[in-house]
Amino acid sequence: MSVISVFIASPEGGNGRNVVANGVASVLSHSYKTQIYRPATDPGETFTAVLLRTAGSKISAEQATATTSDAVRANQTLARGDVARGYHTFCDATQPEACVLVGRDASRIAEPEAAVMDARFAADTQSVVMLAVCTLQRDAGQLRATVLAYRDLYARNGVPLAGVFVTGCKPNKEAQSLDVLSDLKVPVWTLPPMDCTNDEEAACSLPVFHDHAPAHEVLAACQAKRDLPVTPYFFQNDLIARARRHHSTIVVPESLEPRMLRAANYLLERDVVDILFVGERDEILAAGADMGLEHLEMAKFHSLHDERLLVPMVDELVRLRSKKGMTEQKARETLKDPTYFGTMLVQLDQADGLVSGSINSTANTVRPALQVIKTAPGASMVSGAFLMCLPTHVAVFADCAITPNPTAEQLADIALQSAATARAFGIEPRVGMLSYSTLGSGKGPDVDLVTEATRIVHEKEPDLAAVGPIQFDAAWSPDVAATKAPGNDVAGHVNVFVFPDLSAGNIGYKAVQRSSGAVAIGPVLQGLRRPVNDLSRGATVPDIINTIALTAVCAHQ
């Protein structure tokens, strides 16, 4: 989703914020198709409608609003989901080139977390921030302290500051205000006291805004390229949105598992993918009805006993496995297994991908795929990676699912496959080949293995940013990297972590997931010709939703 997204924030939720929001909307609307999006508002507010008219938008204020301030106070986690999901849906529906988001309104209810939630809303929508800080009740020192506090709050959430508007700024304060903020490294503009609550005031404020904040300066600040955060909320909703655009058909063999049914119901209701259940239609629908699920009838159903499917499946399975002793009778027996049956649906182009593993082991999911779908051209093996959604970015951890003790050649292939997975999801890979040693600080066979694997990676893909052997802290932290790997551009900035063996990888991803609250999506089975993805048997409904969406995106790519 490529939208110039600008979040207008202020400490008070007023005091010039409206003038800034209206002015920025005017500037953007002269160069781009611009929309207004309000994460949370109070019932009866009228300023959103004013902004929509300034932007030239024809939608209603209700369509432009995700949730209410009361809902944010009641449950911040649910509110973040509503805002992020609403933003993706909103952008898909309205197709803006630019979007102005406006933070929380002034309130008489004490809201200690209001500024924090605005920062999170900005991060979850990949917005830059234009900060409006009023000088009516602040001197120069208080202005600077306030701006720095809010800049740091947004920085902690990965959100870049694009500019600062000093509002309510009388002529006698202009020079001093600009002076105390001269080292910010972002544009600073001053605006005199103005009201902007209705159409008339909004129209009157624009000439003054443009006089104090020239349109070309504001536009340049909004357009500047910056590193934007990728929060778990953004990534998951972007994944759903991408899956919806491609609309793949995904096979679900574990068709009576309650979590699978709930996940399928969610995706079908939102028209994200087509679900193809393996099993008896009436039995599956009855199980869903008992759970209160209302959208499973939108799915497709294939019975294990359907001869119209079994005949070509048997023929194909015999063709593929005849050298391994597969006969027609053995093929029919094998296809009684829903996972084999579902895998054959993918092989015969009846579906685009498969997700299983909520009740079956990884081996039971992977074995049919290896025997039927086989590896992609050029792939020597299959490996398993997790997309780890951390607070402000997404990293890839591998191999966490498949290969117990990889050779140096296999470890190099895992790194290259994982780099390709990163690229597929918009992540420019920087690979760290993990070890207990950083660039020769430790010795031993295990270090030699990673050293050789790193050499092979550089040989096979010279342009790939990769470092190894490297310890996790030196791969993760720029400060540690400056000491342990000085001068190395990849150390401290790794986003593809390749573990030396399955024990380390599996323990590592689960430790990060459970101790930090990171969202782990996967495993993505890398190296297969068609996408088949495995679930942890401890997978939650959101985990399954994410994995099905991920499989749909992989199928398109």
Side-chain angles (χ1 to χ4, degrees), residues 454-489:
T454 306
R455 185 195 66 77
I456 296 170
V457 167
H458 287 309
E459 182 181 88
K460 288 187 173 181
E461 199 168 323
D463 293 333
L464 176 64
V467 60
I470 189 166
Q471 292 163 286
F472 190 95
D473 57 351
W476 176 271
S477 168
D479 293 336
V480 176
T483 301
K484 291 188 172 184
N488 190 288
D489 294 336

Side-chain angles (χ1 to χ4, degrees), residues 208-275:
V208 182
F209 178 92
H210 292 305
D211 184 53
H212 284 74
H216 70 277
E217 293 181 7
V218 175
L219 191 62
C222 295
Q223 292 171 326
K225 297 294 184 183
R226 300 174 178 88
D227 290 331
L228 296 172
V230 181
T231 69
Y233 290 89
F234 179 87
F235 186 81
Q236 290 174 91
N237 284 288
D238 185 58
L239 192 61
I240 294 291
R242 292 170 69 184
R244 183 186 292 112
R245 287 193 288 272
H246 304 321
H247 213 85
S248 303
T249 298
I250 305 301
V251 178
V252 175
E254 297 164 331
S255 55
L256 294 176
E257 213 294 318
R259 290 167 295 163
M260 299 296 284
L261 291 174
R262 292 189 189 280
N265 189 74
Y266 178 96
L267 293 164
L268 290 166
E269 180 183 4
R270 290 156 180 81
D271 197 30
V272 176
V273 296
D274 287 332
I275 296 292

Side-chain angles (χ1 to χ4, degrees), residues 304-322:
L304 288 163
H305 310 294
D306 187 343
E307 281 294 322
R308 293 171 299 176
L309 285 169
L310 279 172
V311 170
M313 281 186 181
V314 167
D315 291 343
E316 178 69 358
L317 193 52
V318 170
R319 183 186 73 81
L320 291 169
R321 305 284 296 167
S322 60

Side-chain angles (χ1 to χ4, degrees), residues 256 258 261-262 282-294 296:
L256 294 176
L261 291 174
R262 292 189 189 280
D282 291 345
E283 186 180 8
I284 295 166
L285 291 179
D290 289 344
M291 297 165 59
L293 306 179
E294 300 178 349
L296 295 181

Side-chain angles (χ1 to χ4, degrees), residues 131-336:
L131 184 62
V133 180
C134 185
T135 58
L136 287 176
Q137 303 297 326
R138 293 185 175 95
D139 62 26
Q142 292 165 340
L143 169 68
R144 177 176 173 79
T146 302
V147 170
L148 294 182
Y150 274 77
R151 180 199 64 183
D152 293 346
L153 167 64
Y154 280 89
R156 287 195 298 274
N157 286 274
V159 180
L161 188 64
V164 175
F165 288 89
V166 180
T167 65
C169 190
K170 296 180 179 180
N172 64 322
K173 285 188 173 183
E174 283 189 16
Q176 195 175 21
S177 297
L178 291 171
D179 183 60
V180 299
L181 300 176
S182 61
D183 61 343
L184 277 185
K185 299 180 181 178
V186 297
V188 179
W189 303 279
T190 62
L191 295 173
M194 292 180 284
D195 290 324
C196 186
T197 59
N198 54 46
D199 289 328
E200 183 179 356
E201 291 174 349
C204 291
S205 74
L206 284 177
V208 182
F209 178 92
H210 292 305
D211 184 53
H212 284 74
H216 70 277
E217 293 181 7
V218 175
L219 191 62
C222 295
Q223 292 171 326
K225 297 294 184 183
R226 300 174 178 88
D227 290 331
L228 296 172
V230 181
T231 69
Y233 290 89
F234 179 87
F235 186 81
Q236 290 174 91
N237 284 288
D238 185 58
L239 192 61
I240 294 291
R242 292 170 69 184
R244 183 186 292 112
R245 287 193 288 272
H246 304 321
H247 213 85
S248 303
T249 298
I250 305 301
V251 178
V252 175
E254 297 164 331
S255 55
L256 294 176
E257 213 294 318
R259 290 167 295 163
M260 299 296 284
L261 291 174
R262 292 189 189 280
N265 189 74
Y266 178 96
L267 293 164
L268 290 166
E269 180 183 4
R270 290 156 180 81
D271 197 30
V272 176
V273 296
D274 287 332
I275 296 292
L276 199 168
F277 284 117
V278 175
E280 302 303 319
R281 183 179 189 276
D282 291 345
E283 186 180 8
I284 295 166
L285 291 179
D290 289 344
M291 297 165 59
L293 306 179
E294 300 178 349
H295 303 281
L296 295 181
E297 288 190 359
M298 299 167 64
K300 302 172 184 175
F301 304 84
H302 280 336
S303 168
L304 288 163
H305 310 294
D306 187 343
E307 281 294 322
R308 293 171 299 176
L309 285 169
L310 279 172
V311 170
M313 281 186 181
V314 167
D315 291 343
E316 178 69 358
L317 193 52
V318 170
R319 183 186 73 81
L320 291 169
R321 305 284 296 167
S322 60
K323 293 181 180 179
K324 299 292 184 179
M326 183 63 68
T327 64
E328 180 178 337
Q329 182 178 353
K330 287 181 179 179
R332 283 188 172 272
E333 192 65 29
T334 298
L335 290 168
K336 291 179 181 179

